[in-house]
Amino acid sequence: MQELDPTILKKANSWLEGNYDADVKAQIQKMIDDKAYTELTDSFYRDLEFGTGGLRGIMGPGSNRINKYTIGSATQGLANYLKKNYPGEKIKVAIAHDSRNNADLFSAITANVFSANDIHVYYFKALRPTPELSFAVRHFGCKSGVMLTASHNPKEYNGYKAYGDDGGQFVAPHDDAVMDEVAAIKSIDEVKFTRVDANIEEIGEEVDALYLDNITTLSVSPDAIKRQKDLKIVYSPIHGTGITLVPQALERFGFENVILVDEQSTPDGNFPTVVYPNPEEKEALTLALKKAQDTDADLVLATDPDADRVGIAVKNTEGEFVLLNGNQTGTMLINYLLTAWEEKGKLTGKEYIVKTIVTTYLLDKIAEAKNVTCYNTLTGFKYIGELMTKFEGQQTFIGGGEESYGYLIGDFVRDKDAVVSSAFIAEMTAYYKDKGSSLFEALLDTYVQYGFYKEKLISLTKKGKTGAEEIVAMMDKFRNNPPAELGGSKVITLKDYGKSIETDLASGTSKPIELPTSDVLQFITEDGSIISARPSGTEPKIKFYCSVNGKLASKEAYAETDKVLDDKINTIMKDLGV
C-alpha cells in the first residue's frame, strides 16, 4: 500500500484545523479515512500556482485544487495589488463566468471578496463569453476584470483569468506584481469573504446591446450579406456561453438562416455530448457536421465553452465537409478583411494586423502584398492585446489571431473573440458565395496567388520530473547544436527567443530580437520552412510547430501538392528526431 508523505498529511491537517467550511473538512477527512492517498497527495502536494494567465485546475478540496479558498486567495491578492497600484482611487472591476460547473459559485465568491475590499464590482448576473468581459472592462473604465473559465479543458476543470485596465490579460511587469501579491497570502484568514451588497452592481442585457452595436459597425460587406441572407449556417456553442451572443451577432449582421445544434445549445458544464468541448477536435463537431449534411448547409461554426475560440467546417470541391485548421481560418479571415478594405478604399497605409510567431507566415506575405504592416508577437493573445493598446490612436487594427483558433476583428476587445469572428466568418462566406465561389475554393485561390503554406503541430508529452528534464535537455541540444539541414534544405537562421538573439548561421552574425524573452527556438531554412520548438508553460509537453510552403500551380493540383508538403513535414520531424 502507498505510504502517505508526512508533509502532505501536515498540510491536509492544517485545512482540517483551519477556518474552512465543514463540508470541505469532511471531504478531506474522508480521503484520509479511506486511505485515498493518491487523491490526497494530488490535492495538497503544492499550492495551485497563480500564473501569468491566472488559475486553472481540477475542482475539489485542497491547496492544489480550484475551490472557494484558492479562488478567494487569488482575488484577495489581486485586490491588494489594485489597492497598492491605485491608491486613493475608487477602483472598479468586472466579473463574468462561463457554463462550467460551479462557475457561478466561484464568480459570486470573487465578487464578494472584491466588494469586501471596497472595490466596485460590475457583475454579469448570468453566463457570458470571455470577450464580453474584456469589452465590459474597457466600457466601464475598470482597473481589472476576472473571467471564471477553464476554456476547453475537460469538465473536471475550472479556472480564473485576470485582466488589466485595457481589457487584456496582465502582461509584464504587472503580471509578476499580481503573482507576488497572490503568493503573499499565507492564510485563509487574510481573505475577506463577507459580501458588501452596496459594492456589487449587476449587469447583463444592456452590455450585450452595446457590445453587439459596436461589432455590427465593423461589417465590411453588408450588401453581399443582403443578397446572401439565406446562407445556411449551422452553429453549435458546445454547451457553452456562445449561445448568449453568437446567434444574435449573426442576426445583427443580417443572416436569417441560422440552424442551431439543439443537442448542444443548452449550457451544461458536464458537456454531455462530447469528450472534450474543444472546437479544434473533430469529435466535438460530430453533431454539427451531421446537421450540416442533413440540411445541406454552407458553413459550420462551433465555439468553445467561453466563446473565445471558433472552429469551422466548409464544403470542399467534392461537396464533402472538411474542417479548416486555425491557420487556414485565420488566413481566410485576414485575407478577406484586407481585400474588402482595399475594395472599399479604406486602406490608408496606417493599418496593421497582428499574429503570433507560431502562426502561419502566409499572413505576413498577404499583408505585405496589401501594404499593411504585420506584427509578430510571442505566443499568447495577451501579447496581441498589449500591442493593440500600444498603437491605439496611432494605427488602425484590422484583425489578428493565432493558430489555436482564436481571432479578433476591431479594437473594442483585447482578447480573442469567437462572437465577432463567427459573424465575420459568415460574412466572408457570403462575400465569396456572392462572387460565385465557396470558402474552400477561395482558400485554394489564396494558395495559388501567394503560395501554399501548410502547418502542423506536433506535441510530445513528457511526464514527471524525468520528463521535465528531458524537455530541458532537448531545448539545450537544439540551442547549442542546431541542425544543419531540415527537410533537405539548409538551416540558415536560428532565432533564440530565450536569449533574444537571431543568428545568421552562415556568417555567424547576430542581431537582437525585440520581444520579451521566452523559451522558444525557431529554425528557418533556405526554402522558407520555419520550425518552432516551444515547451508548454501549463502542461508536461514540448510543442513543435512546423510550417512548410511551396507553389500551387492550380486549384486542381491541390491534393498532389498537399501530399508533397505533408511528406516534407514528416521528413523534417524525422530530421529533428521527433
Side-chain angles (χ1 to χ4, degrees):
M1 182 184 290
Q2 180 191 344
E3 292 295 316
L4 181 62
D5 185 328
T7 60
I8 302 295
L9 183 59
K10 183 180 178 184
K11 200 158 188 182
N13 280 328
S14 74
W15 278 54
L16 290 174
E17 294 158 8
N19 194 15
Y20 297 86
D21 291 346
D23 63 328
V24 168
K25 291 183 177 183
Q27 290 176 65
I28 296 168
Q29 189 62 56
K30 187 174 188 307
M31 283 190 267
I32 295 171
D33 295 343
D34 292 350
K35 294 185 168 53
Y37 294 158
T38 300
E39 187 182 354
L40 193 68
T41 299
D42 286 348
S43 300
F44 284 101
Y45 83 94
R46 64 170 190 160
D47 291 340
L48 189 65
E49 186 180 345
F50 191 97
T52 56
L55 296 172
R56 189 175 294 185
I58 293 170
M59 292 178 279
S63 61
N64 188 38
R65 293 287 186 256
I66 293 283
N67 52 57
K68 171 183 177 179
Y69 302 102
T70 51
I71 292 287
S73 296
T75 308
Q76 186 63 56
L78 179 52
N80 291 349
Y81 160 83
L82 293 170
K83 295 186 92 163
K84 280 184 183 177
N85 273 265
Y86 303 102
E89 291 188 47
K90 182 60 182 173
I91 300 166
K92 300 180 287 186
V93 300
I95 301 171
H97 67 85
D98 71 4
S99 61
R100 288 187 172 269
N101 295 331
N102 299 315
D104 53 348
L105 169 68
F106 295 146
S107 67
I109 289 164
T110 304
N112 294 350
V113 174
F114 277 132
S115 73
N117 282 275
D118 198 31
I119 290 171
H120 186 85
V121 177
Y122 292 102
Y123 183 73
F124 278 99
K125 57 192 174 187
L127 78 172
R128 287 297 189 279
T130 288
E132 190 174 8
L133 182 275
S134 175
F135 176 84
V137 169
R138 294 173 63 77
H139 172 72
F140 290 111
C142 296
K143 300 300 184 191
S144 183
V146 173
M147 181 74 194
L148 283 301
T149 178
S151 188
H152 56 281
N153 277 67
K155 64 183 180 181
E156 297 82 13
Y157 284 74
N158 217 316
Y160 181 108
K161 286 164 70 172
Y163 290 78
D165 60 1
D166 69 342
Q169 290 186 59
F170 284 108
V171 293
H174 311 289
D175 50 359
D176 286 334
V178 174
M179 286 189 281
D180 289 344
E181 290 294 343
V182 174
I185 305 290
K186 298 302 181 189
S187 165
I188 200 65
D189 297 325
E190 296 174 50
V191 181
K192 300 175 183 177
F193 281 109
T194 307
R195 177 186 176 97
V196 177
D197 286 330
N199 286 335
I200 298 178
E201 180 180 342
E202 288 194 342
I203 55 175
E205 293 80 6
E206 70 283 7
V207 183
D208 298 345
L210 285 166
Y211 169 77
L212 290 166
D213 285 347
N214 275 285
I215 67 171
T216 306
T217 66
L218 298 171
S219 175
V220 197
S221 303
D223 293 339
I225 294 174
K226 279 178 190 170
R227 290 187 289 270
Q228 304 296 335
K229 64 184 180 181
D230 290 329
L231 189 81
K232 279 188 193 170
I233 304 166
V234 168
Y235 170 62
S236 171
I238 317 182
H239 304 290
T241 60
I243 193 65
T244 61
L245 284 184
V246 173
Q248 286 190 62
L250 291 168
E251 185 183 342
R252 288 281 197 104
F253 266 58
F255 294 101
E256 298 179 359
N257 199 0
V258 178
I259 304 157
L260 296 177
V261 179
D262 294 330
E263 304 94 320
Q264 296 180 327
S265 290
T266 302
D268 187 336
N270 291 313
F271 310 114
T273 65
V274 296
V275 178
Y276 297 110
N278 184 354
E280 289 186 57
E281 303 286 344
K282 187 172 184 179
E283 180 273 332
L285 274 72
T286 302
L287 291 172
L289 288 167
K290 184 178 186 307
K291 178 78 80 173
Q293 284 155 0
D294 291 347
T295 58
D296 192 30
D298 296 285
L299 174 67
V300 176
L301 297 167
T303 54
D304 67 342
D306 65 323
D308 64 351
R309 301 186 315 132
V310 57
I312 78 170
V314 298
K315 284 180 188 166
N316 65 14
T317 48
E318 280 77 50
E320 303 162 333
F321 278 98
V322 292
L323 272 61
L324 297 193
N325 64 38
N327 282 305
Q328 290 172 321
T329 303
T331 294
M332 292 312 296
L333 264 174
I334 296 299
N335 189 41
Y336 160 67
L337 285 164
L338 298 190
T339 301
W341 275 56
E342 187 177 48
E343 287 176 356
K344 294 284 196 299
K346 293 177 67 175
L347 293 182
T348 66
K350 286 192 172 182
E351 291 74 26
Y352 71 98
I353 63 167
V354 194
K355 59 179 271 292
T356 67
I357 57 173
V358 297
T359 300
T360 181
Y361 281 78
L362 178 52
L363 288 174
D364 301 69
K365 196 162 184 185
I366 293 169
E368 184 183 7
K370 303 284 189 188
N371 196 29
V372 170
T373 305
C374 177
Y375 293 102
N376 281 273
T377 71
L378 294 176
T379 307
F381 216 92
K382 65 179 185 177
Y383 295 112
I384 294 177
E386 179 185 29
L387 205 66
M388 291 171 66
T389 296
K390 177 183 174 183
F391 291 139
E392 194 166 14
Q394 302 166 43
Q395 300 178 42
T396 303
F397 173 77
I398 294 180
E402 52 189 3
E403 45 74 44
S404 54
Y405 292 63
Y407 321 103
L408 179 62
I409 296 101
D411 66 352
F412 304 117
V413 166
R414 289 290 183 276
D415 208 344
K416 47 192 180 288
D417 184 344
V419 181
V420 71
S421 299
S422 294
F424 269 90
I425 291 165
E427 176 172 296
M428 74 170 170
T429 306
Y431 170 89
Y432 288 119
K433 189 172 184 181
D434 201 46
K435 292 181 178 295
S437 177
S438 71
L439 202 56
F440 189 81
E441 287 173 313
L443 175 64
L444 299 190
D445 287 334
T446 304
Y447 287 155
V448 169
Q449 184 175 0
Y450 296 106
F452 188 170
Y453 283 67
K454 186 176 177 73
E455 289 80 23
K456 189 171 185 180
L457 168 62
I458 294 97
S459 292
L460 295 184
T461 300
K462 304 277 187 181
K463 290 188 175 178
K465 182 172 178 286
T466 54
E469 289 167 353
E470 278 184 63
I471 290 172
V472 170
M474 286 175 82
M475 290 299 286
D476 282 346
K477 185 187 84 171
F478 289 138
R479 182 169 273 123
N480 298 317
N481 298 290
E485 191 177 279
L486 289 171
S489 182
K490 190 176 176 184
V491 177
I492 56 171
T493 305
L494 169 65
K495 290 188 176 184
D496 187 337
Y497 292 87
K499 294 179 178 176
S500 297
I501 293 172
E502 176 181 330
T503 304
D504 181 317
L505 295 176
S507 66
T509 57
S510 297
K511 62 182 179 180
I513 295 172
E514 304 294 339
L515 287 175
T517 58
S518 181
D519 192 13
V520 180
L521 294 172
Q522 274 187 334
F523 309 112
I524 302 171
T525 67
E526 211 159 30
D527 66 0
S529 297
I530 300 175
I531 300 89
S532 308
R534 173 179 168 260
S536 171
T538 56
E539 301 168 289
K541 287 181 178 178
I542 181 167
K543 297 181 177 182
F544 294 89
Y545 303 81
C546 189
S547 173
V548 298
N549 66 84
K551 182 172 172 55
L552 183 62
S554 67
K555 288 193 281 190
E556 291 71 32
Y558 170 73
E560 183 185 344
T561 311
D562 185 57
K563 186 181 184 312
V564 169
L565 294 178
D566 209 38
D567 290 344
K568 187 169 187 175
I569 288 173
N570 293 334
T571 302
I572 287 171
M573 288 298 111
K574 278 182 189 168
D575 290 345
L576 283 171
V578 176

